[in-house]
Amino acid sequence: MKKLSMKIAIIYNSLEWCEQQMKKILHKKGHSVTFQYVNAPDPGSFDLVFNRVMPSIAAKDQKFHQALYKEYLEELEKSNAKVINSLNASIADIDKLFSTDCMREQETPTPKMYKANLRNIDMITQKLGFPIIRKPSMSGRSGGVIKCNNMNELTKALFLDDIVNGYVVLQEYIESVVPHDYRVLVCNGKTLFAISRSLVDGWLGSISKGSKPFHLTSIPTDIEKLAIEASKSIGAVINGVDIVVGKDGPVVIENNPTPNFRKSYIDMLGFNPVEKIIDSVLEGIK
């Protein structure tokens, strides 16, 4: 039986290798694909919508309007389109504090996190101690992520002029007991693959900042379970889950519902991660 062709939209704010691959692969499978720029979306009728609005780009885009973005996703969900990821997961993608609150509500192990300002800084440091991780609430590729070892470093970090959208959050520092972290790709409630990343300066897992990635042919059971649990907590169909193993066990550092991939991942993994994700998504909506 011939498979039915779908009308598919890819919402984006930056067309990179990953988005181009999505369109190419979906075209090969016989589907009609349209790119929709997030700041000027066409409210057309679609069977399937991939949300590829990346926080790392939105955080620096003065034209990006969170309220209009959420309103557009709400309208899509009211239509008959299958939206991946959902409104809830998309909000978690652009608001790390919301993502953390979702996980803590479901008792998923994750570091404590607070919205920061000069009025509550003393309270936060008393609760978390040092070091403290400073992050923009909306960011990606480790942009603006700083390890602050004392109050002087933290005060300087709070005044950095790198927040166009969102606000600053302070996260509890979890020291890894192993020399790497985990990035686990979850799709439709199952793990598709995972990598480990060496820790830059002994604490930061970030390929953008120099971490060396390694494909894991097997995933520790507790890591896999935690990644699936974290994805469910925010309602994500697709999610890249960052996990660190601390002295008390593994914890979710953050969720990444719009995981990005470079062409070099194909050689590292031995397969095209974008194609693997698309196959899983299409299988899940049959």
Side-chain angles (χ1 to χ4, degrees), residues 114-122 124-125 132-135 146 148 151-163 167-170:
Y114 299 93
K115 183 176 182 178
N117 57 60
L118 290 177
R119 294 185 301 276
N120 67 2
I121 195 70
D122 289 334
I124 295 175
T125 55
I132 286 177
I133 304 301
R134 178 265 195 200
K135 297 180 176 181
I146 302 171
C148 302
M151 184 62 79
N152 184 49
E153 292 180 1
L154 179 56
T155 302
K156 289 180 179 179
L158 287 178
F159 283 104
L160 286 179
D161 186 20
D162 63 346
I163 306 295
Y167 51 90
V168 172
V169 296
L170 298 179

PDB file of all heavy atoms in Angstrom, residues 114-122 124-125 132-135 146 148 151-163 167-170:
ATOM      1  N   TYR A 114      16.809  28.922  40.653  1.00  0.00           N
ATOM      2  CA  TYR A 114      16.063  30.111  41.056  1.00  0.00           C
ATOM      3  C   TYR A 114      16.221  31.218  40.025  1.00  0.00           C
ATOM      4  O   TYR A 114      17.278  31.350  39.401  1.00  0.00           O
ATOM      5  CB  TYR A 114      16.557  30.633  42.409  1.00  0.00           C
ATOM      6  CG  TYR A 114      16.398  29.663  43.550  1.00  0.00           C
ATOM      7  CD1 TYR A 114      17.438  28.804  43.893  1.00  0.00           C
ATOM      8  CD2 TYR A 114      15.218  29.612  44.288  1.00  0.00           C
ATOM      9  CE1 TYR A 114      17.303  27.910  44.951  1.00  0.00           C
ATOM     10  CE2 TYR A 114      15.077  28.720  45.344  1.00  0.00           C
ATOM     11  CZ  TYR A 114      16.118  27.869  45.664  1.00  0.00           C
ATOM     12  OH  TYR A 114      15.983  26.976  46.700  1.00  0.00           O
ATOM     13  N   LYS A 115      15.175  32.014  39.878  1.00  0.00           N
ATOM     14  CA  LYS A 115      15.267  33.238  39.087  1.00  0.00           C
ATOM     15  C   LYS A 115      16.050  34.258  39.895  1.00  0.00           C
ATOM     16  O   LYS A 115      15.751  34.489  41.066  1.00  0.00           O
ATOM     17  CB  LYS A 115      13.864  33.763  38.767  1.00  0.00           C
ATOM     18  CG  LYS A 115      13.853  35.004  37.887  1.00  0.00           C
ATOM     19  CD  LYS A 115      12.419  35.402  37.550  1.00  0.00           C
ATOM     20  CE  LYS A 115      12.393  36.620  36.637  1.00  0.00           C
ATOM     21  NZ  LYS A 115      10.997  36.995  36.270  1.00  0.00           N
ATOM     22  N   ALA A 116      17.040  34.869  39.271  1.00  0.00           N
ATOM     23  CA  ALA A 116      17.976  35.716  40.016  1.00  0.00           C
ATOM     24  C   ALA A 116      17.721  37.203  39.809  1.00  0.00           C
ATOM     25  O   ALA A 116      17.383  37.647  38.710  1.00  0.00           O
ATOM     26  CB  ALA A 116      19.408  35.401  39.610  1.00  0.00           C
ATOM     27  N   ASN A 117      17.889  37.952  40.890  1.00  0.00           N
ATOM     28  CA  ASN A 117      17.981  39.407  40.822  1.00  0.00           C
ATOM     29  C   ASN A 117      18.776  39.865  42.049  1.00  0.00           C
ATOM     30  O   ASN A 117      19.085  39.068  42.945  1.00  0.00           O
ATOM     31  CB  ASN A 117      16.592  40.065  40.764  1.00  0.00           C
ATOM     32  CG  ASN A 117      15.727  39.684  41.950  1.00  0.00           C
ATOM     33  OD1 ASN A 117      16.073  39.947  43.097  1.00  0.00           O
ATOM     34  ND2 ASN A 117      14.579  39.052  41.666  1.00  0.00           N
ATOM     35  N   LEU A 118      19.126  41.122  42.083  1.00  0.00           N
ATOM     36  CA  LEU A 118      19.989  41.607  43.167  1.00  0.00           C
ATOM     37  C   LEU A 118      19.305  41.557  44.523  1.00  0.00           C
ATOM     38  O   LEU A 118      19.975  41.528  45.560  1.00  0.00           O
ATOM     39  CB  LEU A 118      20.446  43.037  42.861  1.00  0.00           C
ATOM     40  CG  LEU A 118      21.446  43.166  41.701  1.00  0.00           C
ATOM     41  CD1 LEU A 118      21.776  44.628  41.449  1.00  0.00           C
ATOM     42  CD2 LEU A 118      22.705  42.371  41.993  1.00  0.00           C
ATOM     43  N   ARG A 119      17.967  41.527  44.542  1.00  0.00           N
ATOM     44  CA  ARG A 119      17.256  41.522  45.823  1.00  0.00           C
ATOM     45  C   ARG A 119      17.266  40.151  46.495  1.00  0.00           C
ATOM     46  O   ARG A 119      17.165  40.070  47.719  1.00  0.00           O
ATOM     47  CB  ARG A 119      15.798  41.979  45.615  1.00  0.00           C
ATOM     48  CG  ARG A 119      15.669  43.430  45.168  1.00  0.00           C
ATOM     49  CD  ARG A 119      14.210  43.859  45.100  1.00  0.00           C
ATOM     50  NE  ARG A 119      13.453  43.033  44.170  1.00  0.00           N
ATOM     51  CZ  ARG A 119      13.403  43.259  42.858  1.00  0.00           C
ATOM     52  NH1 ARG A 119      14.089  44.247  42.329  1.00  0.00           N
ATOM     53  NH2 ARG A 119      12.675  42.488  42.076  1.00  0.00           N
ATOM     54  N   ASN A 120      17.357  39.087  45.691  1.00  0.00           N
ATOM     55  CA  ASN A 120      17.280  37.760  46.306  1.00  0.00           C
ATOM     56  C   ASN A 120      18.593  36.988  46.243  1.00  0.00           C
ATOM     57  O   ASN A 120      18.639  35.801  46.546  1.00  0.00           O
ATOM     58  CB  ASN A 120      16.163  36.939  45.664  1.00  0.00           C
ATOM     59  CG  ASN A 120      16.452  36.591  44.196  1.00  0.00           C
ATOM     60  OD1 ASN A 120      17.497  36.923  43.661  1.00  0.00           O
ATOM     61  ND2 ASN A 120      15.498  35.930  43.559  1.00  0.00           N
ATOM     62  N   ILE A 121      19.665  37.650  45.835  1.00  0.00           N
ATOM     63  CA  ILE A 121      20.923  36.961  45.633  1.00  0.00           C
ATOM     64  C   ILE A 121      21.470  36.351  46.915  1.00  0.00           C
ATOM     65  O   ILE A 121      22.017  35.241  46.915  1.00  0.00           O
ATOM     66  CB  ILE A 121      21.956  37.914  44.985  1.00  0.00           C
ATOM     67  CG1 ILE A 121      23.134  37.109  44.431  1.00  0.00           C
ATOM     68  CG2 ILE A 121      22.432  38.964  45.952  1.00  0.00           C
ATOM     69  CD1 ILE A 121      22.784  36.298  43.240  1.00  0.00           C
ATOM     70  N   ASP A 122      21.328  37.047  48.037  1.00  0.00           N
ATOM     71  CA  ASP A 122      21.829  36.506  49.307  1.00  0.00           C
ATOM     72  C   ASP A 122      21.061  35.251  49.702  1.00  0.00           C
ATOM     73  O   ASP A 122      21.648  34.273  50.173  1.00  0.00           O
ATOM     74  CB  ASP A 122      21.725  37.558  50.417  1.00  0.00           C
ATOM     75  CG  ASP A 122      22.736  38.686  50.252  1.00  0.00           C
ATOM     76  OD1 ASP A 122      23.792  38.435  49.627  1.00  0.00           O
ATOM     77  OD2 ASP A 122      22.483  39.799  50.740  1.00  0.00           O
ATOM     78  N   ILE A 124      19.548  33.153  47.695  1.00  0.00           N
ATOM     79  CA  ILE A 124      19.890  32.053  46.796  1.00  0.00           C
ATOM     80  C   ILE A 124      21.241  31.459  47.153  1.00  0.00           C
ATOM     81  O   ILE A 124      21.403  30.229  47.201  1.00  0.00           O
ATOM     82  CB  ILE A 124      19.886  32.530  45.326  1.00  0.00           C
ATOM     83  CG1 ILE A 124      18.464  32.931  44.910  1.00  0.00           C
ATOM     84  CG2 ILE A 124      20.404  31.424  44.403  1.00  0.00           C
ATOM     85  CD1 ILE A 124      18.381  33.531  43.518  1.00  0.00           C
ATOM     86  N   THR A 125      22.218  32.298  47.403  1.00  0.00           N
ATOM     87  CA  THR A 125      23.555  31.780  47.716  1.00  0.00           C
ATOM     88  C   THR A 125      23.557  31.016  49.036  1.00  0.00           C
ATOM     89  O   THR A 125      24.303  30.050  49.201  1.00  0.00           O
ATOM     90  CB  THR A 125      24.587  32.914  47.770  1.00  0.00           C
ATOM     91  OG1 THR A 125      24.155  33.927  48.692  1.00  0.00           O
ATOM     92  CG2 THR A 125      24.770  33.531  46.398  1.00  0.00           C
ATOM     93  N   ILE A 132      28.157  28.165  42.011  1.00  0.00           N
ATOM     94  CA  ILE A 132      26.805  28.302  41.476  1.00  0.00           C
ATOM     95  C   ILE A 132      26.916  28.459  39.963  1.00  0.00           C
ATOM     96  O   ILE A 132      27.833  29.113  39.466  1.00  0.00           O
ATOM     97  CB  ILE A 132      26.090  29.533  42.084  1.00  0.00           C
ATOM     98  CG1 ILE A 132      25.669  29.250  43.531  1.00  0.00           C
ATOM     99  CG2 ILE A 132      24.866  29.923  41.259  1.00  0.00           C
ATOM    100  CD1 ILE A 132      25.018  30.434  44.214  1.00  0.00           C
ATOM    101  N   ILE A 133      25.975  27.867  39.247  1.00  0.00           N
ATOM    102  CA  ILE A 133      25.958  27.993  37.793  1.00  0.00           C
ATOM    103  C   ILE A 133      24.973  29.083  37.388  1.00  0.00           C
ATOM    104  O   ILE A 133      23.806  29.040  37.723  1.00  0.00           O
ATOM    105  CB  ILE A 133      25.568  26.667  37.106  1.00  0.00           C
ATOM    106  CG1 ILE A 133      26.501  25.544  37.553  1.00  0.00           C
ATOM    107  CG2 ILE A 133      25.589  26.827  35.597  1.00  0.00           C
ATOM    108  CD1 ILE A 133      27.971  25.791  37.240  1.00  0.00           C
ATOM    109  N   ARG A 134      25.495  30.069  36.666  1.00  0.00           N
ATOM    110  CA  ARG A 134      24.683  31.165  36.148  1.00  0.00           C
ATOM    111  C   ARG A 134      24.327  30.861  34.696  1.00  0.00           C
ATOM    112  O   ARG A 134      25.186  30.477  33.902  1.00  0.00           O
ATOM    113  CB  ARG A 134      25.468  32.462  36.252  1.00  0.00           C
ATOM    114  CG  ARG A 134      24.746  33.691  35.688  1.00  0.00           C
ATOM    115  CD  ARG A 134      25.138  33.986  34.260  1.00  0.00           C
ATOM    116  NE  ARG A 134      24.716  35.326  33.860  1.00  0.00           N
ATOM    117  CZ  ARG A 134      24.577  35.745  32.605  1.00  0.00           C
ATOM    118  NH1 ARG A 134      24.823  34.918  31.605  1.00  0.00           N
ATOM    119  NH2 ARG A 134      24.212  36.981  32.345  1.00  0.00           N
ATOM    120  N   LYS A 135      23.024  30.987  34.355  1.00  0.00           N
ATOM    121  CA  LYS A 135      22.566  30.731  32.996  1.00  0.00           C
ATOM    122  C   LYS A 135      21.496  31.741  32.596  1.00  0.00           C
ATOM    123  O   LYS A 135      20.720  32.181  33.447  1.00  0.00           O
ATOM    124  CB  LYS A 135      21.908  29.341  32.877  1.00  0.00           C
ATOM    125  CG  LYS A 135      22.777  28.144  33.141  1.00  0.00           C
ATOM    126  CD  LYS A 135      21.967  26.857  32.984  1.00  0.00           C
ATOM    127  CE  LYS A 135      22.821  25.620  33.139  1.00  0.00           C
ATOM    128  NZ  LYS A 135      22.028  24.377  32.956  1.00  0.00           N
ATOM    129  N   ILE A 146      27.954  30.159  33.128  1.00  0.00           N
ATOM    130  CA  ILE A 146      29.178  30.519  33.847  1.00  0.00           C
ATOM    131  C   ILE A 146      29.182  29.853  35.224  1.00  0.00           C
ATOM    132  O   ILE A 146      28.181  29.899  35.944  1.00  0.00           O
ATOM    133  CB  ILE A 146      29.292  32.042  34.021  1.00  0.00           C
ATOM    134  CG1 ILE A 146      29.272  32.746  32.659  1.00  0.00           C
ATOM    135  CG2 ILE A 146      30.564  32.408  34.788  1.00  0.00           C
ATOM    136  CD1 ILE A 146      29.164  34.250  32.757  1.00  0.00           C
ATOM    137  N   CYS A 148      30.312  30.204  38.811  1.00  0.00           N
ATOM    138  CA  CYS A 148      30.723  31.273  39.725  1.00  0.00           C
ATOM    139  C   CYS A 148      31.179  30.660  41.045  1.00  0.00           C
ATOM    140  O   CYS A 148      30.408  29.960  41.704  1.00  0.00           O
ATOM    141  CB  CYS A 148      29.574  32.241  39.969  1.00  0.00           C
ATOM    142  SG  CYS A 148      28.924  33.006  38.454  1.00  0.00           S
ATOM    143  N   MET A 151      31.043  35.250  45.560  1.00  0.00           N
ATOM    144  CA  MET A 151      30.073  36.323  45.366  1.00  0.00           C
ATOM    145  C   MET A 151      30.559  37.361  44.363  1.00  0.00           C
ATOM    146  O   MET A 151      29.769  37.908  43.590  1.00  0.00           O
ATOM    147  CB  MET A 151      29.758  36.995  46.707  1.00  0.00           C
ATOM    148  CG  MET A 151      28.681  38.069  46.636  1.00  0.00           C
ATOM    149  SD  MET A 151      27.069  37.406  46.103  1.00  0.00           S
ATOM    150  CE  MET A 151      26.506  36.675  47.651  1.00  0.00           C
ATOM    151  N   ASN A 152      31.835  37.631  44.349  1.00  0.00           N
ATOM    152  CA  ASN A 152      32.380  38.614  43.413  1.00  0.00           C
ATOM    153  C   ASN A 152      32.165  38.161  41.969  1.00  0.00           C
ATOM    154  O   ASN A 152      31.711  38.940  41.123  1.00  0.00           O
ATOM    155  CB  ASN A 152      33.869  38.833  43.680  1.00  0.00           C
ATOM    156  CG  ASN A 152      34.456  39.923  42.800  1.00  0.00           C
ATOM    157  OD1 ASN A 152      33.901  41.014  42.691  1.00  0.00           O
ATOM    158  ND2 ASN A 152      35.586  39.635  42.179  1.00  0.00           N
ATOM    159  N   GLU A 153      32.467  36.897  41.685  1.00  0.00           N
ATOM    160  CA  GLU A 153      32.262  36.366  40.337  1.00  0.00           C
ATOM    161  C   GLU A 153      30.781  36.335  39.974  1.00  0.00           C
ATOM    162  O   GLU A 153      30.399  36.617  38.832  1.00  0.00           O
ATOM    163  CB  GLU A 153      32.854  34.965  40.234  1.00  0.00           C
ATOM    164  CG  GLU A 153      34.367  34.926  40.324  1.00  0.00           C
ATOM    165  CD  GLU A 153      34.929  33.523  40.212  1.00  0.00           C
ATOM    166  OE1 GLU A 153      34.138  32.567  40.037  1.00  0.00           O
ATOM    167  OE2 GLU A 153      36.160  33.379  40.290  1.00  0.00           O
ATOM    168  N   LEU A 154      29.946  36.006  40.944  1.00  0.00           N
ATOM    169  CA  LEU A 154      28.511  35.930  40.686  1.00  0.00           C
ATOM    170  C   LEU A 154      27.930  37.307  40.391  1.00  0.00           C
ATOM    171  O   LEU A 154      27.132  37.473  39.463  1.00  0.00           O
ATOM    172  CB  LEU A 154      27.801  35.310  41.888  1.00  0.00           C
ATOM    173  CG  LEU A 154      26.276  35.187  41.799  1.00  0.00           C
ATOM    174  CD1 LEU A 154      25.865  34.406  40.565  1.00  0.00           C
ATOM    175  CD2 LEU A 154      25.713  34.540  43.053  1.00  0.00           C
ATOM    176  N   THR A 155      28.333  38.312  41.164  1.00  0.00           N
ATOM    177  CA  THR A 155      27.835  39.672  40.949  1.00  0.00           C
ATOM    178  C   THR A 155      28.207  40.173  39.558  1.00  0.00           C
ATOM    179  O   THR A 155      27.383  40.775  38.855  1.00  0.00           O
ATOM    180  CB  THR A 155      28.395  40.623  42.018  1.00  0.00           C
ATOM    181  OG1 THR A 155      28.023  40.145  43.319  1.00  0.00           O
ATOM    182  CG2 THR A 155      27.836  42.029  41.825  1.00  0.00           C
ATOM    183  N   LYS A 156      29.443  39.910  39.135  1.00  0.00           N
ATOM    184  CA  LYS A 156      29.870  40.307  37.789  1.00  0.00           C
ATOM    185  C   LYS A 156      29.052  39.593  36.718  1.00  0.00           C
ATOM    186  O   LYS A 156      28.670  40.190  35.710  1.00  0.00           O
ATOM    187  CB  LYS A 156      31.354  40.009  37.597  1.00  0.00           C
ATOM    188  CG  LYS A 156      32.282  40.915  38.393  1.00  0.00           C
ATOM    189  CD  LYS A 156      33.731  40.538  38.135  1.00  0.00           C
ATOM    190  CE  LYS A 156      34.681  41.448  38.918  1.00  0.00           C
ATOM    191  NZ  LYS A 156      36.111  41.064  38.702  1.00  0.00           N
ATOM    192  N   ALA A 157      28.769  38.313  36.943  1.00  0.00           N
ATOM    193  CA  ALA A 157      28.010  37.525  35.965  1.00  0.00           C
ATOM    194  C   ALA A 157      26.581  38.031  35.824  1.00  0.00           C
ATOM    195  O   ALA A 157      26.009  38.019  34.730  1.00  0.00           O
ATOM    196  CB  ALA A 157      28.016  36.053  36.362  1.00  0.00           C
ATOM    197  N   LEU A 158      25.991  38.496  36.928  1.00  0.00           N
ATOM    198  CA  LEU A 158      24.623  38.988  36.882  1.00  0.00           C
ATOM    199  C   LEU A 158      24.496  40.237  36.017  1.00  0.00           C
ATOM    200  O   LEU A 158      23.455  40.493  35.419  1.00  0.00           O
ATOM    201  CB  LEU A 158      24.117  39.293  38.294  1.00  0.00           C
ATOM    202  CG  LEU A 158      23.791  38.095  39.180  1.00  0.00           C
ATOM    203  CD1 LEU A 158      23.343  38.556  40.551  1.00  0.00           C
ATOM    204  CD2 LEU A 158      22.719  37.221  38.549  1.00  0.00           C
ATOM    205  N   PHE A 159      25.564  41.012  35.930  1.00  0.00           N
ATOM    206  CA  PHE A 159      25.511  42.268  35.186  1.00  0.00           C
ATOM    207  C   PHE A 159      25.968  42.133  33.739  1.00  0.00           C
ATOM    208  O   PHE A 159      26.072  43.139  33.037  1.00  0.00           O
ATOM    209  CB  PHE A 159      26.363  43.332  35.903  1.00  0.00           C
ATOM    210  CG  PHE A 159      25.679  43.913  37.111  1.00  0.00           C
ATOM    211  CD1 PHE A 159      26.057  43.534  38.378  1.00  0.00           C
ATOM    212  CD2 PHE A 159      24.643  44.828  36.956  1.00  0.00           C
ATOM    213  CE1 PHE A 159      25.422  44.070  39.492  1.00  0.00           C
ATOM    214  CE2 PHE A 159      24.003  45.368  38.073  1.00  0.00           C
ATOM    215  CZ  PHE A 159      24.392  44.985  39.343  1.00  0.00           C
ATOM    216  N   LEU A 160      26.246  40.929  33.291  1.00  0.00           N
ATOM    217  CA  LEU A 160      26.633  40.733  31.900  1.00  0.00           C
ATOM    218  C   LEU A 160      25.482  41.139  30.977  1.00  0.00           C
ATOM    219  O   LEU A 160      24.318  40.825  31.234  1.00  0.00           O
ATOM    220  CB  LEU A 160      27.004  39.276  31.637  1.00  0.00           C
ATOM    221  CG  LEU A 160      28.349  38.791  32.183  1.00  0.00           C
ATOM    222  CD1 LEU A 160      28.529  37.313  31.858  1.00  0.00           C
ATOM    223  CD2 LEU A 160      29.503  39.598  31.609  1.00  0.00           C
ATOM    224  N   ASP A 161      25.813  41.822  29.904  1.00  0.00           N
ATOM    225  CA  ASP A 161      24.801  42.309  28.969  1.00  0.00           C
ATOM    226  C   ASP A 161      24.587  41.283  27.854  1.00  0.00           C
ATOM    227  O   ASP A 161      24.929  41.516  26.700  1.00  0.00           O
ATOM    228  CB  ASP A 161      25.248  43.651  28.387  1.00  0.00           C
ATOM    229  CG  ASP A 161      24.172  44.291  27.520  1.00  0.00           C
ATOM    230  OD1 ASP A 161      22.996  43.909  27.668  1.00  0.00           O
ATOM    231  OD2 ASP A 161      24.519  45.150  26.690  1.00  0.00           O
ATOM    232  N   ASP A 162      24.036  40.122  28.209  1.00  0.00           N
ATOM    233  CA  ASP A 162      23.828  39.064  27.205  1.00  0.00           C
ATOM    234  C   ASP A 162      22.399  38.551  27.200  1.00  0.00           C
ATOM    235  O   ASP A 162      22.115  37.514  26.610  1.00  0.00           O
ATOM    236  CB  ASP A 162      24.800  37.905  27.445  1.00  0.00           C
ATOM    237  CG  ASP A 162      24.579  37.207  28.791  1.00  0.00           C
ATOM    238  OD1 ASP A 162      23.865  37.780  29.642  1.00  0.00           O
ATOM    239  OD2 ASP A 162      25.116  36.109  28.991  1.00  0.00           O
ATOM    240  N   ILE A 163      21.488  39.267  27.848  1.00  0.00           N
ATOM    241  CA  ILE A 163      20.105  38.828  27.927  1.00  0.00           C
ATOM    242  C   ILE A 163      19.221  39.758  27.093  1.00  0.00           C
ATOM    243  O   ILE A 163      18.954  40.890  27.474  1.00  0.00           O
ATOM    244  CB  ILE A 163      19.594  38.809  29.391  1.00  0.00           C
ATOM    245  CG1 ILE A 163      20.510  37.970  30.269  1.00  0.00           C
ATOM    246  CG2 ILE A 163      18.163  38.291  29.447  1.00  0.00           C
ATOM    247  CD1 ILE A 163      20.531  36.508  29.922  1.00  0.00           C
ATOM    248  N   TYR A 167      15.587  35.912  31.243  1.00  0.00           N
ATOM    249  CA  TYR A 167      16.142  36.427  32.491  1.00  0.00           C
ATOM    250  C   TYR A 167      17.272  35.504  32.926  1.00  0.00           C
ATOM    251  O   TYR A 167      17.576  34.508  32.263  1.00  0.00           O
ATOM    252  CB  TYR A 167      15.049  36.508  33.558  1.00  0.00           C
ATOM    253  CG  TYR A 167      14.261  35.218  33.728  1.00  0.00           C
ATOM    254  CD1 TYR A 167      14.664  34.243  34.638  1.00  0.00           C
ATOM    255  CD2 TYR A 167      13.120  34.968  32.963  1.00  0.00           C
ATOM    256  CE1 TYR A 167      13.956  33.049  34.779  1.00  0.00           C
ATOM    257  CE2 TYR A 167      12.409  33.790  33.098  1.00  0.00           C
ATOM    258  CZ  TYR A 167      12.826  32.836  34.005  1.00  0.00           C
ATOM    259  OH  TYR A 167      12.140  31.662  34.142  1.00  0.00           O
ATOM    260  N   VAL A 168      17.908  35.820  34.048  1.00  0.00           N
ATOM    261  CA  VAL A 168      19.020  35.008  34.547  1.00  0.00           C
ATOM    262  C   VAL A 168      18.514  34.022  35.586  1.00  0.00           C
ATOM    263  O   VAL A 168      17.706  34.368  36.450  1.00  0.00           O
ATOM    264  CB  VAL A 168      20.119  35.904  35.169  1.00  0.00           C
ATOM    265  CG1 VAL A 168      21.187  35.048  35.855  1.00  0.00           C
ATOM    266  CG2 VAL A 168      20.764  36.766  34.096  1.00  0.00           C
ATOM    267  N   VAL A 169      18.988  32.776  35.496  1.00  0.00           N
ATOM    268  CA  VAL A 169      18.697  31.787  36.532  1.00  0.00           C
ATOM    269  C   VAL A 169      20.011  31.338  37.172  1.00  0.00           C
ATOM    270  O   VAL A 169      21.072  31.389  36.542  1.00  0.00           O
ATOM    271  CB  VAL A 169      17.947  30.555  35.972  1.00  0.00           C
ATOM    272  CG1 VAL A 169      16.583  30.960  35.454  1.00  0.00           C
ATOM    273  CG2 VAL A 169      18.750  29.859  34.884  1.00  0.00           C
ATOM    274  N   LEU A 170      19.906  30.922  38.420  1.00  0.00           N
ATOM    275  CA  LEU A 170      21.047  30.366  39.136  1.00  0.00           C
ATOM    276  C   LEU A 170      20.726  28.922  39.480  1.00  0.00           C
ATOM    277  O   LEU A 170      19.670  28.621  40.044  1.00  0.00           O
ATOM    278  CB  LEU A 170      21.339  31.166  40.403  1.00  0.00           C
ATOM    279  CG  LEU A 170      21.716  32.633  40.184  1.00  0.00           C
ATOM    280  CD1 LEU A 170      21.967  33.323  41.518  1.00  0.00           C
ATOM    281  CD2 LEU A 170      22.929  32.759  39.271  1.00  0.00           C
TER     282      LEU A 170
END
